Amino acid sequence: MNMQYYNAVVEMEKAGVDAEFLQGWQGGYLLNPMREEQRLTEAYEAGYAAGQEKDTEAYKEWIAA
């Protein structure tokens, strides 16, 4: 198991990150294909881009208030 991936997901979940961002981040990190166009959201796309970059800090902008 990739500990960077696991630790990042746990940290995001504990912080209360937007679920769409988290799903996007996971897909981008794992290099999965992006969702179909009609299901894309701003949070998902931001998460996907951050995941592709292996950015473990970008989620902080997507924590629910």
Side-chain angles (χ1 to χ4, degrees):
M1 176 187 287
N2 182 326
M3 290 307 291
Q4 179 188 23
Y5 173 85
Y6 176 81
N7 291 337
V9 169
V10 169
E11 186 175 332
M12 288 184 223
E13 288 175 339
K14 286 182 180 177
V17 74
D18 184 300
E20 288 286 300
F21 180 91
L22 181 56
Q23 288 177 19
W25 189 90
Q26 290 171 320
Y29 189 98
L30 298 173
L31 303 177
N32 291 338
M34 194 176 268
R35 286 179 177 170
E36 57 275 4
E37 188 174 343
Q38 66 270 24
R39 293 183 56 224
L40 293 178
T41 64
E42 183 181 355
Y44 177 88
E45 291 183 273
Y48 192 89
Q52 286 182 310
E53 297 295 322
K54 311 284 191 259
D55 183 343
T56 59
E57 298 295 318
Y59 79 91
K60 293 176 181 174
E61 297 177 30
W62 293 94
I63 295 173

